[in-house]
Amino acid sequence: MRDKRSIIGLLGALALALAALFVAGPAQAAPQQAAAKGGHVLVLPAAPAGVTPRSAAANSPTTSPAAGRVVHAASGSTVSCTSGSLCTAALDPTTGDWKVFFLYNCARYSLSYWNGSGYYVDSQTGGGTSYFYGQSGNVLKQFTPDNTVYSYDWTPVWSIRNC
């Protein structure tokens, strides 16, 4: 009996994990760029068609350790990426808006529930190199600060190191 409950629980957890992978769709519009004093302004595009707030199987994107600052921003709003930060935007399927993470402290941030297209802008100072890592720890992308907004598919990214 105990084995049956364990198998049922495992199958239930697997079903929830698979559902979470397919909840968020990719963003289609590229963000506009504008200069900001001491950082960069990110203009967030409209959420993909058909994305509405969900609560049943959706999970909000998170980082571990926690980002120094996190804000929710509606489509079309602007967020200033302050100097010294690597700013990332992931669509939050629980609210239907963008969740922007300000990665200021030097760390390797593990990502949870980051699915589909999003954006990043590197406004760090000092010229450090940042990395996006895949599931096995492989480097997916490395870059240095240039205050340019980039679109990126977060689905294969498991962690970010901002220094």
Side-chain angles (χ1 to χ4, degrees):
M1 185 67 163
R2 182 181 231 182
D3 290 334
K4 286 183 182 180
R5 278 189 265 157
S6 295
I7 291 172
I8 291 171
L10 179 63
L11 290 175
L14 180 61
L16 284 174
L18 287 174
L21 286 174
F22 298 103
V23 171
Q28 308 226 344
Q32 298 174 1
Q33 299 179 37
K37 184 176 180 182
H40 193 83
V41 173
L42 176 61
V43 179
L44 297 167
V51 173
T52 57
R54 304 174 195 196
S55 60
N59 291 292
S60 182
T62 61
T63 63
S64 179
R69 180 174 165 224
V70 177
V71 298
H72 280 266
S75 297
S77 63
T78 60
V79 176
S80 178
C81 182
T82 53
S83 180
S85 294
L86 169 61
C87 299
T88 58
L91 192 64
D92 186 342
T94 65
T95 60
D97 63 8
W98 295 94
K99 193 168 181 179
V100 182
F101 298 84
F102 295 77
L103 307 179
Y104 180 80
N105 295 323
C106 177
R108 185 163 177 170
Y109 296 86
S110 295
L111 311 182
S112 296
Y113 308 112
W114 288 48
N115 296 306
S117 293
Y119 299 92
Y120 72 92
V121 59
D122 194 347
S123 294
Q124 296 181 96
T125 56
T129 302
S130 296
Y131 301 89
F132 294 161
Y133 297 98
Q135 182 178 10
S136 64
N138 55 311
V139 175
L140 298 172
K141 181 167 185 66
Q142 74 179 55
F143 53 93
T144 55
D146 66 1
N147 286 319
T148 302
V149 177
Y150 294 96
S151 175
Y152 202 79
D153 180 9
W154 296 124
T155 306
V157 181
W158 286 61
S159 64
I160 296 173
R161 183 167 181 84
N162 64 329
C163 53

